[in-house]
Amino acid sequence: MGRIALGVEYQGSGFHGWQRQLRDLTVQGVLEGALAAVAGEPVGVIAAGRTDRGVHATGQVVHFDTSVERSLQAWVRGTNTHLPPTVAVLWAWPVVEPFHARFSARSRTYRYRLLSHPVRPAYASGVLGWTHYPLALEKLRAGCGWILGTHDFSAFRAAECQAKTPVKTLLRAEVEAVGEEFHFTFQADAFLQHMVRNLVGALVQVGSGAMPPEWMAELLQQGDRTRAAPTFAPEGLCLSAVEYDEAWNLPGGRQG
């Protein structure tokens, strides 16, 4: 058996999330079907992270085991011929069996694009989050400062989250203004279910002036999901990168 790692991107609007489901269209489902068409045998893939319904990815990494030999170009271009236009394999790379797309990952980076405008977006609908509140960049950045580091993120955890522990280490929590948009970047060793969307929802309260920046620290200390802001919309969220040790020598960006 050989093990192959793939870089994958997708526009998640038309899918019921990443994870394979019996009746609904999912990214994992269409990817496994396309790979099986190239391999001539069933293929099961394991992803670095499971994205929710409507969430996108430009840097998803998966791996699969196969008993057949194909060129790396076949795993990329051949698979893409069987995929819908909103999903693409960017690169393929052989790895030895200890590599695991999920467990070998050192960190993951998510980005959230948020439009602050009185009117909701139309042209960018599906890929852009939206709030009608005016937001102050300095307040958003101050709020981000309180959540950096290792914390119990129970206040930002979905009720159905299956993670073994709510304690995660947030390595980056940054925001920049790009026109009327605010671009958030979050990097952590791992994320809880809905964690990024819940962080963005709370930060919007801070950025609008409804809550002070130190409210983020209070939420962490209280650990009570019911005291935090509602879960923000999935449309602006994108898994942009998964980081691994350099020893794996994985490609980056578009290959093949």
Short mmCIF file of all heavy atoms in Angstrom, two decimals, residues 3-9 31 35 46 48 58-64 71-80 83 87-95 99-101 240-245 248-256:
data_model
loop_
_atom_site.label_atom_id
_atom_site.label_comp_id
_atom_site.label_asym_id
_atom_site.label_seq_id
_atom_site.Cartn_x
_atom_site.Cartn_y
_atom_site.Cartn_z
N ARG A 3 0.94 5.56 0.36
CA ARG A 3 0.18 6.66 0.96
C ARG A 3 0.47 7.93 0.18
O ARG A 3 1.63 8.27 -0.08
CB ARG A 3 0.53 6.81 2.44
CG ARG A 3 -0.20 7.96 3.13
CD ARG A 3 -0.19 7.80 4.64
NE ARG A 3 -0.98 6.63 5.04
CZ ARG A 3 -1.23 6.31 6.31
NH1 ARG A 3 -0.75 7.06 7.30
NH2 ARG A 3 -1.96 5.26 6.60
N ILE A 4 -0.59 8.63 -0.19
CA ILE A 4 -0.49 9.85 -0.98
C ILE A 4 -1.14 11.00 -0.21
O ILE A 4 -2.25 10.85 0.32
CB ILE A 4 -1.19 9.71 -2.36
CG1 ILE A 4 -0.62 8.52 -3.14
CG2 ILE A 4 -1.06 10.99 -3.16
CD1 ILE A 4 0.82 8.69 -3.57
N ALA A 5 -0.45 12.13 -0.15
CA ALA A 5 -1.03 13.35 0.41
C ALA A 5 -1.47 14.25 -0.72
O ALA A 5 -0.82 14.31 -1.77
CB ALA A 5 -0.01 14.07 1.30
N LEU A 6 -2.58 14.95 -0.51
CA LEU A 6 -3.11 15.87 -1.52
C LEU A 6 -3.37 17.23 -0.89
O LEU A 6 -3.78 17.33 0.27
CB LEU A 6 -4.45 15.36 -2.09
CG LEU A 6 -4.52 13.99 -2.76
CD1 LEU A 6 -5.96 13.69 -3.15
CD2 LEU A 6 -3.60 13.93 -3.97
N GLY A 7 -3.14 18.29 -1.66
CA GLY A 7 -3.61 19.61 -1.31
C GLY A 7 -4.91 19.86 -2.04
O GLY A 7 -5.01 19.59 -3.24
N VAL A 8 -5.92 20.35 -1.34
CA VAL A 8 -7.26 20.48 -1.92
C VAL A 8 -7.83 21.86 -1.60
O VAL A 8 -7.64 22.39 -0.49
CB VAL A 8 -8.22 19.40 -1.36
CG1 VAL A 8 -9.58 19.49 -2.02
CG2 VAL A 8 -7.62 18.01 -1.55
N GLU A 9 -8.51 22.44 -2.58
CA GLU A 9 -9.27 23.66 -2.32
C GLU A 9 -10.71 23.46 -2.76
O GLU A 9 -10.98 22.65 -3.66
CB GLU A 9 -8.66 24.89 -3.00
CG GLU A 9 -8.85 24.96 -4.50
CD GLU A 9 -8.33 26.27 -5.09
OE1 GLU A 9 -7.54 26.96 -4.43
OE2 GLU A 9 -8.74 26.59 -6.22
N LEU A 31 -14.80 14.00 -3.53
CA LEU A 31 -13.37 13.75 -3.70
C LEU A 31 -13.07 12.26 -3.72
O LEU A 31 -12.31 11.77 -4.56
CB LEU A 31 -12.59 14.44 -2.58
CG LEU A 31 -11.06 14.25 -2.61
CD1 LEU A 31 -10.47 14.76 -3.92
CD2 LEU A 31 -10.41 14.96 -1.42
N LEU A 35 -11.37 10.19 -6.84
CA LEU A 35 -10.15 9.41 -6.66
C LEU A 35 -10.38 7.94 -7.01
O LEU A 35 -9.51 7.28 -7.61
CB LEU A 35 -9.66 9.52 -5.22
CG LEU A 35 -9.03 10.87 -4.83
CD1 LEU A 35 -8.88 10.97 -3.31
CD2 LEU A 35 -7.68 11.06 -5.51
N ILE A 46 -8.59 10.97 4.54
CA ILE A 46 -8.60 11.56 5.88
C ILE A 46 -8.09 12.99 5.76
O ILE A 46 -7.04 13.23 5.15
CB ILE A 46 -7.72 10.76 6.85
CG1 ILE A 46 -8.30 9.35 7.04
CG2 ILE A 46 -7.58 11.48 8.19
CD1 ILE A 46 -7.46 8.45 7.90
N ALA A 48 -7.12 17.01 7.20
CA ALA A 48 -6.50 17.71 8.33
C ALA A 48 -7.55 18.34 9.22
O ALA A 48 -7.35 18.48 10.44
CB ALA A 48 -5.55 18.78 7.81
N THR A 58 -8.72 26.76 0.96
CA THR A 58 -7.69 26.92 -0.08
C THR A 58 -6.45 26.13 0.28
O THR A 58 -5.55 26.00 -0.55
CB THR A 58 -7.30 28.41 -0.24
OG1 THR A 58 -6.85 28.92 1.03
CG2 THR A 58 -8.47 29.23 -0.74
N GLY A 59 -6.42 25.59 1.52
CA GLY A 59 -5.22 24.88 1.96
C GLY A 59 -5.51 23.58 2.70
O GLY A 59 -4.73 23.17 3.56
N GLN A 60 -6.62 22.94 2.37
CA GLN A 60 -6.93 21.65 2.99
C GLN A 60 -5.90 20.60 2.57
O GLN A 60 -5.43 20.59 1.43
CB GLN A 60 -8.33 21.18 2.57
CG GLN A 60 -8.76 19.82 3.08
CD GLN A 60 -9.07 19.80 4.57
OE1 GLN A 60 -8.14 19.66 5.38
NE2 GLN A 60 -10.35 19.92 4.92
N VAL A 61 -5.54 19.72 3.49
CA VAL A 61 -4.62 18.62 3.20
C VAL A 61 -5.29 17.32 3.59
O VAL A 61 -5.89 17.22 4.67
CB VAL A 61 -3.28 18.78 3.96
CG1 VAL A 61 -2.38 17.57 3.72
CG2 VAL A 61 -2.58 20.07 3.53
N VAL A 62 -5.19 16.32 2.72
CA VAL A 62 -5.76 15.01 2.99
C VAL A 62 -4.72 13.94 2.66
O VAL A 62 -3.73 14.22 1.98
CB VAL A 62 -7.05 14.75 2.17
CG1 VAL A 62 -8.03 15.90 2.33
CG2 VAL A 62 -6.73 14.51 0.70
N HIS A 63 -4.96 12.74 3.14
CA HIS A 63 -4.14 11.61 2.69
C HIS A 63 -5.04 10.41 2.45
O HIS A 63 -6.16 10.32 2.98
CB HIS A 63 -3.02 11.28 3.69
CG HIS A 63 -3.45 10.44 4.85
ND1 HIS A 63 -3.71 10.95 6.10
CD2 HIS A 63 -3.67 9.10 4.97
CE1 HIS A 63 -4.07 10.00 6.93
NE2 HIS A 63 -4.05 8.85 6.26
N PHE A 64 -4.55 9.48 1.62
CA PHE A 64 -5.26 8.24 1.38
C PHE A 64 -4.25 7.15 1.08
O PHE A 64 -3.10 7.42 0.69
CB PHE A 64 -6.27 8.38 0.23
CG PHE A 64 -5.64 8.64 -1.12
CD1 PHE A 64 -5.35 7.59 -1.99
CD2 PHE A 64 -5.35 9.93 -1.52
CE1 PHE A 64 -4.78 7.83 -3.23
CE2 PHE A 64 -4.77 10.17 -2.76
CZ PHE A 64 -4.48 9.12 -3.63
N SER A 71 0.77 8.11 -11.64
CA SER A 71 1.68 9.25 -11.59
C SER A 71 1.05 10.34 -10.72
O SER A 71 -0.18 10.39 -10.54
CB SER A 71 1.94 9.80 -12.99
OG SER A 71 0.75 10.40 -13.52
N LEU A 72 1.91 11.21 -10.18
CA LEU A 72 1.38 12.32 -9.39
C LEU A 72 0.49 13.21 -10.24
O LEU A 72 -0.51 13.75 -9.75
CB LEU A 72 2.54 13.13 -8.80
CG LEU A 72 3.43 12.38 -7.80
CD1 LEU A 72 4.53 13.29 -7.29
CD2 LEU A 72 2.60 11.83 -6.64
N GLN A 73 0.84 13.35 -11.50
CA GLN A 73 0.00 14.15 -12.40
C GLN A 73 -1.39 13.53 -12.55
O GLN A 73 -2.39 14.24 -12.63
CB GLN A 73 0.67 14.29 -13.77
CG GLN A 73 -0.07 15.23 -14.72
CD GLN A 73 0.66 15.37 -16.03
OE1 GLN A 73 0.64 14.45 -16.87
NE2 GLN A 73 1.32 16.50 -16.22
N ALA A 74 -1.45 12.19 -12.56
CA ALA A 74 -2.75 11.53 -12.67
C ALA A 74 -3.60 11.78 -11.43
O ALA A 74 -4.82 11.99 -11.54
CB ALA A 74 -2.55 10.03 -12.87
N TRP A 75 -2.95 11.78 -10.26
CA TRP A 75 -3.71 12.04 -9.04
C TRP A 75 -4.24 13.46 -9.00
O TRP A 75 -5.26 13.74 -8.36
CB TRP A 75 -2.86 11.77 -7.81
CG TRP A 75 -2.55 10.33 -7.54
CD1 TRP A 75 -1.32 9.76 -7.37
CD2 TRP A 75 -3.48 9.26 -7.38
NE1 TRP A 75 -1.42 8.42 -7.13
CE2 TRP A 75 -2.75 8.07 -7.13
CE3 TRP A 75 -4.88 9.17 -7.44
CZ2 TRP A 75 -3.36 6.83 -6.93
CZ3 TRP A 75 -5.48 7.92 -7.25
CH2 TRP A 75 -4.73 6.78 -6.99
N VAL A 76 -3.55 14.38 -9.68
CA VAL A 76 -4.01 15.77 -9.72
C VAL A 76 -4.99 15.99 -10.87
O VAL A 76 -6.19 16.20 -10.68
CB VAL A 76 -2.82 16.75 -9.84
CG1 VAL A 76 -3.32 18.19 -9.95
CG2 VAL A 76 -1.90 16.62 -8.63
N ARG A 77 -4.49 15.90 -12.10
CA ARG A 77 -5.32 16.24 -13.25
C ARG A 77 -6.41 15.20 -13.51
O ARG A 77 -7.53 15.54 -13.90
CB ARG A 77 -4.44 16.42 -14.48
CG ARG A 77 -3.48 17.60 -14.34
CD ARG A 77 -2.75 17.90 -15.63
NE ARG A 77 -1.86 19.04 -15.48
CZ ARG A 77 -1.12 19.55 -16.44
NH1 ARG A 77 -1.13 19.00 -17.66
NH2 ARG A 77 -0.34 20.61 -16.22
N GLY A 78 -6.05 13.93 -13.32
CA GLY A 78 -7.06 12.89 -13.52
C GLY A 78 -8.21 13.03 -12.54
O GLY A 78 -9.39 12.92 -12.91
N THR A 79 -7.87 13.26 -11.28
CA THR A 79 -8.92 13.43 -10.27
C THR A 79 -9.77 14.65 -10.57
O THR A 79 -11.01 14.62 -10.45
CB THR A 79 -8.30 13.55 -8.87
OG1 THR A 79 -7.52 12.38 -8.60
CG2 THR A 79 -9.37 13.68 -7.81
N ASN A 80 -9.13 15.74 -10.99
CA ASN A 80 -9.87 16.98 -11.25
C ASN A 80 -10.88 16.84 -12.38
O ASN A 80 -11.89 17.54 -12.41
CB ASN A 80 -8.90 18.12 -11.53
CG ASN A 80 -8.22 18.64 -10.27
OD1 ASN A 80 -8.71 18.42 -9.17
ND2 ASN A 80 -7.10 19.32 -10.43
N LEU A 83 -14.11 15.88 -10.78
CA LEU A 83 -14.61 16.73 -9.71
C LEU A 83 -15.49 17.85 -10.26
O LEU A 83 -15.28 18.32 -11.39
CB LEU A 83 -13.45 17.34 -8.93
CG LEU A 83 -12.69 16.40 -7.99
CD1 LEU A 83 -11.42 17.08 -7.47
CD2 LEU A 83 -13.58 15.97 -6.82
N VAL A 87 -14.41 22.20 -6.66
CA VAL A 87 -13.43 21.43 -5.90
C VAL A 87 -12.25 21.12 -6.81
O VAL A 87 -12.44 20.77 -7.98
CB VAL A 87 -14.02 20.10 -5.38
CG1 VAL A 87 -12.99 19.36 -4.51
CG2 VAL A 87 -15.29 20.33 -4.59
N ALA A 88 -11.03 21.27 -6.30
CA ALA A 88 -9.85 20.98 -7.11
C ALA A 88 -8.73 20.42 -6.24
O ALA A 88 -8.50 20.88 -5.12
CB ALA A 88 -9.35 22.23 -7.83
N VAL A 89 -8.03 19.42 -6.78
CA VAL A 89 -6.79 18.94 -6.18
C VAL A 89 -5.67 19.83 -6.69
O VAL A 89 -5.51 20.03 -7.89
CB VAL A 89 -6.52 17.47 -6.55
CG1 VAL A 89 -5.15 17.03 -6.03
CG2 VAL A 89 -7.61 16.57 -5.98
N LEU A 90 -4.88 20.40 -5.78
CA LEU A 90 -3.82 21.34 -6.16
C LEU A 90 -2.48 20.65 -6.37
O LEU A 90 -1.69 21.04 -7.22
CB LEU A 90 -3.65 22.41 -5.07
CG LEU A 90 -4.90 23.20 -4.69
CD1 LEU A 90 -4.57 24.20 -3.60
CD2 LEU A 90 -5.48 23.89 -5.91
N TRP A 91 -2.21 19.61 -5.56
CA TRP A 91 -0.95 18.89 -5.67
C TRP A 91 -1.11 17.50 -5.05
O TRP A 91 -2.04 17.26 -4.26
CB TRP A 91 0.20 19.63 -4.99
CG TRP A 91 -0.03 20.09 -3.58
CD1 TRP A 91 -0.41 21.35 -3.16
CD2 TRP A 91 0.09 19.30 -2.38
NE1 TRP A 91 -0.53 21.39 -1.80
CE2 TRP A 91 -0.23 20.14 -1.28
CE3 TRP A 91 0.43 17.99 -2.12
CZ2 TRP A 91 -0.21 19.71 0.04
CZ3 TRP A 91 0.45 17.53 -0.81
CH2 TRP A 91 0.13 18.39 0.26
N ALA A 92 -0.21 16.61 -5.43
CA ALA A 92 -0.15 15.26 -4.87
C ALA A 92 1.30 14.96 -4.51
O ALA A 92 2.22 15.40 -5.21
CB ALA A 92 -0.68 14.23 -5.87
N TRP A 93 1.49 14.20 -3.42
CA TRP A 93 2.85 13.92 -2.98
C TRP A 93 2.89 12.59 -2.23
O TRP A 93 2.03 12.35 -1.36
CB TRP A 93 3.34 15.04 -2.05
CG TRP A 93 4.82 15.06 -1.85
CD1 TRP A 93 5.51 14.71 -0.73
CD2 TRP A 93 5.80 15.46 -2.80
NE1 TRP A 93 6.86 14.87 -0.92
CE2 TRP A 93 7.07 15.33 -2.20
CE3 TRP A 93 5.74 15.92 -4.12
CZ2 TRP A 93 8.25 15.63 -2.85
CZ3 TRP A 93 6.91 16.23 -4.78
CH2 TRP A 93 8.15 16.09 -4.15
N PRO A 94 3.86 11.72 -2.55
CA PRO A 94 3.96 10.46 -1.81
C PRO A 94 4.53 10.69 -0.42
O PRO A 94 5.47 11.47 -0.25
CB PRO A 94 4.92 9.63 -2.68
CG PRO A 94 5.76 10.66 -3.39
CD PRO A 94 4.87 11.84 -3.61
N VAL A 95 3.97 10.02 0.58
CA VAL A 95 4.45 10.14 1.95
C VAL A 95 4.56 8.74 2.55
O VAL A 95 3.88 7.82 2.11
CB VAL A 95 3.51 11.01 2.82
CG1 VAL A 95 3.59 12.47 2.42
CG2 VAL A 95 2.07 10.51 2.72
N PHE A 99 3.01 9.43 8.23
CA PHE A 99 2.35 10.71 7.98
C PHE A 99 0.85 10.54 8.10
O PHE A 99 0.26 9.59 7.56
CB PHE A 99 2.69 11.24 6.59
CG PHE A 99 1.92 12.50 6.24
CD1 PHE A 99 2.39 13.73 6.65
CD2 PHE A 99 0.72 12.44 5.55
CE1 PHE A 99 1.68 14.90 6.37
CE2 PHE A 99 0.00 13.59 5.26
CZ PHE A 99 0.48 14.82 5.67
N HIS A 100 0.22 11.50 8.76
CA HIS A 100 -1.23 11.52 8.93
C HIS A 100 -1.70 12.96 8.76
O HIS A 100 -1.21 13.86 9.45
CB HIS A 100 -1.60 10.98 10.32
CG HIS A 100 -3.05 10.67 10.50
ND1 HIS A 100 -4.01 11.65 10.67
CD2 HIS A 100 -3.71 9.47 10.53
CE1 HIS A 100 -5.19 11.07 10.82
NE2 HIS A 100 -5.03 9.75 10.74
N ALA A 101 -2.62 13.17 7.83
CA ALA A 101 -3.04 14.54 7.51
C ALA A 101 -3.53 15.29 8.74
O ALA A 101 -3.26 16.49 8.89
CB ALA A 101 -4.14 14.50 6.45
N SER A 240 -7.24 28.14 5.32
CA SER A 240 -6.27 28.66 4.36
C SER A 240 -4.95 27.91 4.36
O SER A 240 -4.21 27.95 3.37
CB SER A 240 -6.01 30.15 4.60
OG SER A 240 -5.48 30.35 5.90
N ALA A 241 -4.61 27.22 5.46
CA ALA A 241 -3.32 26.52 5.50
C ALA A 241 -3.32 25.50 6.63
O ALA A 241 -3.98 25.68 7.65
CB ALA A 241 -2.17 27.51 5.71
N VAL A 242 -2.57 24.43 6.39
CA VAL A 242 -2.26 23.45 7.43
C VAL A 242 -0.74 23.33 7.46
O VAL A 242 -0.11 23.13 6.42
CB VAL A 242 -2.90 22.08 7.15
CG1 VAL A 242 -2.62 21.12 8.30
CG2 VAL A 242 -4.40 22.22 6.91
N GLU A 243 -0.17 23.48 8.65
CA GLU A 243 1.28 23.53 8.78
C GLU A 243 1.81 22.19 9.30
O GLU A 243 1.27 21.64 10.27
CB GLU A 243 1.70 24.66 9.72
CG GLU A 243 1.39 26.06 9.19
CD GLU A 243 -0.05 26.49 9.37
OE1 GLU A 243 -0.75 25.92 10.24
OE2 GLU A 243 -0.51 27.39 8.63
N TYR A 244 2.89 21.71 8.64
CA TYR A 244 3.54 20.45 9.01
C TYR A 244 5.04 20.68 9.19
O TYR A 244 5.58 21.69 8.73
CB TYR A 244 3.32 19.38 7.93
CG TYR A 244 1.88 18.98 7.73
CD1 TYR A 244 1.08 19.66 6.80
CD2 TYR A 244 1.32 17.93 8.44
CE1 TYR A 244 -0.25 19.30 6.62
CE2 TYR A 244 0.00 17.56 8.26
CZ TYR A 244 -0.78 18.25 7.35
OH TYR A 244 -2.09 17.90 7.17
N ASP A 245 5.70 19.73 9.82
CA ASP A 245 7.16 19.79 9.91
C ASP A 245 7.76 19.79 8.51
O ASP A 245 7.27 19.10 7.60
CB ASP A 245 7.69 18.58 10.69
CG ASP A 245 7.44 18.70 12.19
OD1 ASP A 245 7.31 19.83 12.68
OD2 ASP A 245 7.34 17.64 12.85
N TRP A 248 8.56 16.59 6.20
CA TRP A 248 7.63 15.92 5.28
C TRP A 248 7.77 16.43 3.86
O TRP A 248 7.31 15.78 2.92
CB TRP A 248 6.19 16.09 5.76
CG TRP A 248 5.90 15.40 7.06
CD1 TRP A 248 5.57 15.99 8.25
CD2 TRP A 248 5.94 13.99 7.31
NE1 TRP A 248 5.39 15.04 9.23
CE2 TRP A 248 5.61 13.80 8.67
CE3 TRP A 248 6.22 12.87 6.52
CZ2 TRP A 248 5.56 12.53 9.26
CZ3 TRP A 248 6.16 11.62 7.10
CH2 TRP A 248 5.84 11.45 8.44
N ASN A 249 8.35 17.61 3.70
CA ASN A 249 8.66 18.15 2.37
C ASN A 249 7.41 18.24 1.47
O ASN A 249 7.48 17.98 0.27
CB ASN A 249 9.72 17.28 1.68
CG ASN A 249 10.38 17.98 0.51
OD1 ASN A 249 10.51 19.21 0.51
ND2 ASN A 249 10.77 17.22 -0.50
N LEU A 250 6.30 18.63 2.05
CA LEU A 250 5.07 18.72 1.27
C LEU A 250 5.11 19.95 0.37
O LEU A 250 5.61 21.00 0.74
CB LEU A 250 3.86 18.81 2.20
CG LEU A 250 3.58 17.60 3.07
CD1 LEU A 250 2.33 17.84 3.91
CD2 LEU A 250 3.41 16.35 2.23
N PRO A 251 4.53 19.82 -0.84
CA PRO A 251 4.44 21.00 -1.72
C PRO A 251 3.48 22.02 -1.12
O PRO A 251 2.71 21.73 -0.21
CB PRO A 251 3.89 20.43 -3.03
CG PRO A 251 4.06 18.95 -2.92
CD PRO A 251 3.98 18.62 -1.47
N GLY A 252 3.50 23.21 -1.67
CA GLY A 252 2.55 24.24 -1.29
C GLY A 252 1.98 24.89 -2.53
O GLY A 252 2.61 24.91 -3.58
N GLY A 253 0.77 25.42 -2.41
CA GLY A 253 0.15 26.10 -3.55
C GLY A 253 -0.25 25.14 -4.64
O GLY A 253 -0.46 23.95 -4.44
N ARG A 254 -0.34 25.67 -5.87
CA ARG A 254 -0.83 24.88 -6.99
C ARG A 254 0.34 24.17 -7.67
O ARG A 254 1.34 24.79 -8.04
CB ARG A 254 -1.54 25.77 -8.01
CG ARG A 254 -2.86 26.31 -7.49
CD ARG A 254 -3.51 27.22 -8.53
NE ARG A 254 -4.87 27.54 -8.11
CZ ARG A 254 -5.93 26.81 -8.42
NH1 ARG A 254 -5.79 25.71 -9.13
NH2 ARG A 254 -7.14 27.17 -8.03
N GLN A 255 0.22 22.87 -7.84
CA GLN A 255 1.25 22.07 -8.51
C GLN A 255 0.60 21.25 -9.62
O GLN A 255 -0.60 20.98 -9.59
CB GLN A 255 1.92 21.12 -7.50
CG GLN A 255 2.49 21.81 -6.28
CD GLN A 255 3.72 22.62 -6.59
OE1 GLN A 255 4.49 22.28 -7.46
NE2 GLN A 255 3.91 23.72 -5.85
N GLY A 256 1.43 20.77 -10.54
CA GLY A 256 0.96 19.84 -11.58
C GLY A 256 0.12 20.51 -12.62
O GLY A 256 -0.58 19.83 -13.33
#
